[in-house]
């Protein structure tokens, strides 16, 4: 009979670390949304199986989305530094030895398994990255067997207690500041269903569970098999996903926040695979047309959003409000930009210089920001205190994050206005080029709309 476990308790140190992580994630990302977090029970042994698209950021995002304490399986290389090792162990991390890091220490993974089993015995939640490494591809790489071996090894001694939950992390733009992240929790997988097969043939049972876990993880993210397919899917998303989302909202009466971006992206990827198999000439023609359009955008330094919005002329009242905001906000922008320029640009510069892989960029930028903002703000506040006294220093310190937020929003608005003015100038000086951009985009969207209808007709039951 399976034991009954009480809800997990979170210790103060972990709660403090998670609070700091949530603050910096709020700072770095526009939103971190969780889809079906209720699928993770409040108590009992759980093995989260997470894809790994963005290095250290992934652990922060998963931990921030969970109410329970997450015990991560972390590469043993991170435990070589004594200070970092003490911090990781205090957070509940468990070292795992990878062949590419320590080929002579693989036998120590027996200790890793034992540590996992002890945690499960106490009803803990463990997170593992079954792919074994971080990567920038828009798919779940072939996962290792470690998750299945841990699950079935524990389940053999404690039948019916453990559940595995596939988790998908989807980053809207991995390197962009203030982008969105989605954490999707899948339906639990019960290792007990593989237990009889495991007792007869452990290798086959582990392979079967690994294969099913692979499918379950792929279902939580956009899974694109090849790099060239990935580029095409992303290009179609840039041109068409907002319009597709608007259609879904209108047809189903949904609010923008209720539209699942992962489902839209997955549907687009499915449609691309469908036509690559059944009508490759059509896909090739579409890809060439999109590439030609994007070349035109680059040639005239125009963004696609501006071309899309060109026919959506804003009402006079809205234009007046925007103009008034721009005038009134200018001095606030200047104040915030001067005070926050160094802590904003220094981490970005460091990330560009130090990141060896795309997946390292956000981690380096976040860690640098955690140091840069308190450091620069502290120095600035100290200078004000020396010059004007503690009360002025307190008011100045309070103004720093507020002015920084205003400056960033103003900068985004100014960039949007700049490219709109550039397109307006293009329409005046080279009207034929401006009309060509509009015509090309309309033709591509019309072709995508026809392809959508053909795909839905050919795959009855599919939807966007």
């Amino acid at each position: 009979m399976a034991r009954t476990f009480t809800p997990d308790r979170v210790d103060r140190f972990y709660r403090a670390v998670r609070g700091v992580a949530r603050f910096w994630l709020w700072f770095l990302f526009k939103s971190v949304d969780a889809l079906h977090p209720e699928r993770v029970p409040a108590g009992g042994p759980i093995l989260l199986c997470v894809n790994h698209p963005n290095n250290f950021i992934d652990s922060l995002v998963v931990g921030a989305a969970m109410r329970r304490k997450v015990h991560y399986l972390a590469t043993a290389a991170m435990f070589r530094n004594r200070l970092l090792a003490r911090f990781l162990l205090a957070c509940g991390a468990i070292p795992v030895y990878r062949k590419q890091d320590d080929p002579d220490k693989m036998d120590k993974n027996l200790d890793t398994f034992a540590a996992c089993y002890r945690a499960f015995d106490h009803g803990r939640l463990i997170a593992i990255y079954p792919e074994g490494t971080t990567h920038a591809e828009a798919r779940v790489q072939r996962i290792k067997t470690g998750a299945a071996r841990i699950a079935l090894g524990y389940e053999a001694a404690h039948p019916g207690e453990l559940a595995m939950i596939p988790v998908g992390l989807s980053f809207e733009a991995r390197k962009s500041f203030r982008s969105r992240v989605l954490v999707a929790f899948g339906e639990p997988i019960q290792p007990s269903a593989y237990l009889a097969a495991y007792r007869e043939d452990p290798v086959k049972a582990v392979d079967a569970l690994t294969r099913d876990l692979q499918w379950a993880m792929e279902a939580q993210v956009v899974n694109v098999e090849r790099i060239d397919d990935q580029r095409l899917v992303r290009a179609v998303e840039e041109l068409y996903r907002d319009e597709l989302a608007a259609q879904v909202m209108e047809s189903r009466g949904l609010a923008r926040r209720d539209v699942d971006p992962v489902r839209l992206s997955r549907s687009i990827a499915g449609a691309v695979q469908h036509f690559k198999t059944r009508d490759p000439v059509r896909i090739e023609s579409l890809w060439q047309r999109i590439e030609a359009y994007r070349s035109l955008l680059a040639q005239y330094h125009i963004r696609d959003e501006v071309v899309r919005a060109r026919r959506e002329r804003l009402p006079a009242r809205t234009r007046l409000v925007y103009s008034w905001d721009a005038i009134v906000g200018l001095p606030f922008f200047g104040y915030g930009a001067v005070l926050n320029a160094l802590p904003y640009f220094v981490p970005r510069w460091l990330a560009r210089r130090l990141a060896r892989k795309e997946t390292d960029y956000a981690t380096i930028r976040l860690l640098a920001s955690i140091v840069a903002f308190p450091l620069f703000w502290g120095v600035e506040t100290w200078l004000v205190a020396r010059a004007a006294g503690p009360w002025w220093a307190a008011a100045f310190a309070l103004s720093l994050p507020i002015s920084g937020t205003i400056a960033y929003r103003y900068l985004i608005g100014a960039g949007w206005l700049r490219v709109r003015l550039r397109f307006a100038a293009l329409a005046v000086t080279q009207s034929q080029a401006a009309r060509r951009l509009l015509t090309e985009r309309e033709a591509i969207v019309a072709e995508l709309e026809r392809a959508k209808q053909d795909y839905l007709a050919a795959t009855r039951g599919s939807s966007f």
Side-chain angles (χ1 to χ4, degrees):
M1 180 181 293
R3 290 175 290 173
T4 301
F5 294 90
T6 58
D8 230 349
R9 290 186 177 182
V10 180
D11 58 83
R12 293 180 179 178
F13 179 78
Y14 183 86
R15 189 179 291 113
V17 171
R18 183 175 62 186
V20 172
R22 283 175 173 171
F23 168 79
W24 283 105
L25 289 174
W26 167 84
F27 171 81
L28 183 63
F29 296 103
K30 187 173 184 179
S31 67
V32 178
D33 301 315
L35 185 64
H36 298 305
E38 72 282 356
R39 289 173 172 168
V40 182
I46 296 292
L47 183 61
L48 293 185
C49 302
V50 192
N51 67 313
H52 207 2
N54 211 4
N55 210 322
F56 176 66
I57 300 291
D58 297 340
S59 298
L60 296 183
V61 169
V62 172
M66 300 289 302
R67 292 185 177 182
R68 297 179 58 175
K69 181 175 181 177
V70 182
H71 298 261
Y72 294 97
L73 285 179
T75 173
M78 298 179 67
F79 292 79
R80 291 171 183 166
N81 181 284
R82 287 188 178 182
L83 185 60
L84 180 58
R86 291 184 64 181
F87 172 79
L88 292 173
L89 291 171
C91 290
I94 300 171
V96 60
Y97 296 85
R98 302 187 305 177
K99 191 172 183 179
Q100 61 264 42
D101 296 330
D102 295 287
D104 298 331
K105 298 181 179 180
M106 294 298 293
D107 57 320
K108 287 192 175 183
N109 277 329
L110 294 175
D111 297 334
T112 300
F113 278 51
C116 290
Y117 297 159
R118 286 193 299 270
F120 289 147
D121 275 336
H122 290 89
R124 303 292 185 250
L125 182 149
I126 293 177
I128 185 173
Y129 298 106
E131 293 165 298
T133 185
T134 184
H135 62 91
E137 297 179 32
R139 66 186 181 96
V140 177
Q141 290 189 341
R142 186 177 181 86
I143 67 175
K144 308 293 192 294
T145 60
R149 288 162 56 209
I150 290 172
L152 289 172
Y154 180 79
E155 191 70 13
H158 304 84
E161 289 189 1
L162 180 66
M164 305 171 72
I165 298 181
V167 181
L169 297 178
S170 299
F171 290 82
E172 182 180 57
R174 191 180 282 104
K175 297 172 64 175
S176 296
F177 184 64
R178 304 300 291 169
S179 60
R180 293 182 176 86
V181 187
L182 181 67
V183 189
F185 296 89
E187 292 282 358
I189 297 174
Q190 304 300 332
S192 56
Y194 303 80
L195 195 53
Y198 180 72
R199 287 169 175 156
E200 291 183 6
D201 191 331
V203 174
K204 286 187 178 179
V206 165
D207 288 343
L209 179 53
T210 300
R211 182 177 61 252
D212 292 348
L213 177 61
Q214 175 96 32
W215 292 340
M217 291 177 62
E218 289 175 356
Q220 303 309 313
V221 299
V222 182
N223 198 67
V224 183
E225 290 298 331
R226 296 171 54 187
I227 297 298
D228 54 348
D229 292 352
Q230 176 181 328
R231 292 174 59 214
L232 176 56
V233 169
R234 286 181 176 175
V236 172
E237 285 184 335
E238 291 172 4
L239 289 166
Y240 192 52
R241 192 170 70 173
D242 284 347
E243 298 190 26
L244 194 58
Q247 294 176 17
V248 172
M249 291 163 56
E250 183 178 355
S251 63
R252 301 179 187 175
L254 299 176
R256 184 68 180 87
R257 65 178 180 275
D258 296 325
V259 177
D260 184 353
V262 173
R263 181 176 178 181
L264 285 181
S265 297
R266 194 182 299 129
S267 298
I268 291 172
V272 167
Q273 294 296 330
H274 170 83
F275 286 113
K276 283 202 68 144
T277 302
R278 292 166 176 78
D279 196 350
V281 174
R282 185 177 189 176
I283 281 289
E284 183 64 27
S285 175
L286 175 63
W287 178 234
Q288 290 177 1
R289 192 156 199 173
I290 290 175
E291 284 289 88
Y293 170 70
R294 295 169 82 178
S295 297
L296 285 175
L297 292 174
Q299 179 181 345
Y300 297 112
H301 306 286
I302 302 294
R303 294 200 325 227
D304 173 66
E305 304 96 292
V306 178
V307 182
R308 182 178 68 235
R310 179 63 177 176
R311 295 186 179 277
E312 302 171 3
R313 184 171 177 80
L314 297 174
R317 181 179 178 181
T318 304
R319 295 200 305 273
L320 181 62
V321 170
Y322 282 178
S323 300
W324 175 251
D325 288 347
I327 295 170
V328 173
L330 183 59
F332 294 98
F333 163 73
Y335 175 80
V338 169
L339 297 177
N340 292 276
L342 284 176
Y344 175 78
F345 285 108
V346 167
R348 189 168 74 165
W349 177 79
L350 284 173
R352 288 177 175 175
R353 290 291 301 272
L354 300 178
R356 297 179 180 179
K357 301 186 297 182
E358 183 179 345
T359 53
D360 295 336
Y361 180 91
T363 295
I364 294 173
R365 186 171 182 180
L366 174 63
L367 295 177
S369 297
I370 290 174
V371 175
F373 275 91
L375 176 63
F376 283 105
W377 285 357
V379 171
E380 292 169 353
T381 303
W382 176 77
L383 291 174
V384 172
R386 290 290 300 271
W391 289 106
W392 279 105
F396 174 79
L398 183 63
S399 74
L400 286 171
I402 298 173
S403 63
T405 302
I406 293 174
Y408 180 75
R409 291 179 65 87
Y410 193 97
L411 188 64
I412 295 299
W416 177 249
L417 177 61
R418 184 171 63 252
V419 292
R420 286 181 72 96
L421 291 175
R422 186 181 293 132
F423 189 88
L426 182 69
V428 172
T429 59
Q430 301 183 56
S431 58
Q432 186 174 356
R435 284 197 299 271
R436 184 181 176 190
L437 281 169
L438 289 167
T439 302
E440 280 299 310
R441 192 183 198 287
E442 289 177 354
I444 291 171
V445 171
E447 175 57 31
L448 290 172
E449 185 65 26
R450 287 192 293 271
K452 184 194 80 171
Q453 298 300 334
D454 293 345
Y455 172 69
L456 293 177
T459 57
R460 295 179 181 179
S462 297
S463 63
F464 283 87

